[in-house]
Amino acid sequence: MTDTLKLLSEHASFGGVQRFYQHDSQVIGLPMRFSVFLPSVALAHDAAKVPALMYLAGLTCNEETFATKAGAQRRAAELGLALIAPDTSPRGAGIAGESDSWDFGLAASFYLDATQEPWSKYYRMETYLTQELVALFGEHLPVDAQRLGLFGHSMGGHGALTVALRHPGLFKSLSAFAPICAPTQCPWGQKAFSGYLGGDQSEWLQHDATALMGAKKTAPYPDGILIDQGLADKFLEAQLHPHLFEAACQSIDQPLTLRRHVGYDHGYYFIATFINDHLDHHAQILKRA
């Protein structure tokens, strides 16, 4: 397999373009898709490469969800930011039981490298994101891979926090919407980690944002992390546990802005309401990088 990009579609958007790509992933061993919004400043023949944000979507979503629901393109165009959203799991692996549950398997990769068969052959999303995809768009798109931020929602919020903490320096800025903050302590995480990583719970902790942050000696993001959480989110109490991540940040003096919003639930109306704040948070940091 090669990393040649195949353009699936392109749509004019706020002076820039919203594109959808497919490529044959060497890491995953299957075709993978991702979306990218490029602002107008990135499209000129002699344009400098622009900073970018990678967004990780949640359970049941794909590479189109953020592009079509979050309403991020207008502000990204104003800020001169590219937006990149990969799919949420491999597609076409043909693993028995892969689509039996909405919270495990297809569209539910938890953005880690599985160690347990049969998942370990294809479900290698952490390596895919941090090595292959970053290199791919850095080479083939007008994107500056040295000025890269990471954010996500729910399972993707978990992915953003853990991947950023596990790969120091790769992502210069970090935020999340309603992330799964302590997956070792919630049913979603326990189900996923048992299946992908096996029974060794010490391995689970290597993919738990609260545990990873608490193990740091100094603040990994001195410019701050932004998290938004709706208080009408039906998953808040059982699955998300932002208070645990907040305590871990406090223990090492990691600046964290954790905003709790009355009346907001877990969906994209919530995300669309606060998306501009996240883009502004990242832009301010990335333009200094």
Side-chain angles (χ1 to χ4, degrees):
M1 286 192 171
T2 66
D3 273 334
T4 302
L5 287 179
K6 178 182 179 182
L7 180 64
L8 301 176
S9 65
E10 178 177 290
H11 315 273
S13 180
F14 297 102
V17 291
Q18 177 66 57
R19 294 175 179 169
F20 296 90
Y21 285 103
Q22 179 173 298
H23 72 110
D24 291 329
S25 169
Q26 297 180 37
V27 169
I28 301 295
L30 294 165
M32 292 293 291
R33 294 187 175 191
F34 67 95
S35 68
V36 58
F37 171 75
L38 295 173
S40 60
V41 295
L43 300 177
H45 176 69
D46 57 349
K49 291 191 173 187
V50 297
L53 304 183
M54 185 188 293
Y55 176 88
L56 306 182
L59 293 164
T60 75
C61 296
N62 60 27
E63 77 284 355
E64 296 182 353
T65 309
F66 177 74
T68 57
K69 290 187 174 183
Q73 290 91 342
R74 180 192 295 271
R75 187 65 177 143
E78 294 170 349
L79 295 169
L81 291 174
L83 303 173
I84 297 159
D87 203 351
T88 51
S89 78
R91 309 268 174 176
I95 297 173
E98 186 180 29
S99 58
D100 287 355
S101 301
W102 67 275
D103 56 356
F104 182 78
L106 197 66
S109 71
F110 276 75
Y111 300 103
L112 49 75
D113 287 358
T115 61
Q116 302 299 299
E117 298 212 2
W119 309 99
S120 56
K121 182 176 180 180
Y122 298 111
Y123 279 63
R124 305 183 63 227
M125 288 294 290
E126 182 176 358
T127 296
Y128 170 69
L129 295 175
T130 59
Q131 296 184 22
E132 187 172 25
L133 186 58
V134 169
L136 185 68
F137 64 67
E139 179 180 355
H140 295 287
L141 297 174
V143 168
D144 184 356
Q146 300 304 311
R147 291 186 293 159
L148 182 62
L150 186 62
F151 67 149
H153 168 234
S154 192
M155 175 189 72
H158 144 78
L161 296 177
T162 56
V163 170
L165 291 172
R166 285 171 54 83
H167 298 269
L170 181 57
F171 301 97
K172 305 301 190 294
S173 56
L174 179 61
S175 73
F177 294 94
I180 304 170
C181 288
T184 61
Q185 300 183 55
C186 75
W188 277 344
Q190 291 162 356
K191 179 178 181 178
F193 289 179
S194 294
Y196 295 138
L197 302 175
D200 183 356
Q201 296 193 16
S202 65
E203 178 64 19
W204 296 10
L205 292 172
Q206 300 305 309
H207 301 276
D208 183 303
T210 295
L212 289 168
M213 184 63 77
K216 299 288 186 183
K217 301 300 183 184
T218 59
Y221 284 89
D223 290 318
I225 299 169
L226 173 62
I227 292 177
D228 278 308
Q229 174 63 59
L231 292 180
D233 187 327
K234 65 181 180 180
F235 302 115
L236 174 57
E237 183 174 351
Q239 304 283 10
L240 304 181
H241 303 320
H243 64 288
L244 298 178
F245 186 73
E246 184 178 38
C249 288
Q250 290 173 346
S251 72
I252 63 161
D253 295 322
Q254 166 61 55
L256 171 68
T257 300
L258 172 54
R259 307 190 302 184
R260 296 171 169 91
H261 303 282
V262 174
Y264 286 90
D265 62 19
H266 197 70
Y268 271 80
Y269 296 112
F270 157 63
I271 293 173
T273 301
F274 301 106
I275 188 65
N276 285 1
D277 294 343
H278 284 249
L279 299 185
D280 290 346
H281 165 79
H282 288 274
Q284 184 178 18
I285 296 169
L286 294 178
K287 290 184 177 182
R288 294 199 305 264

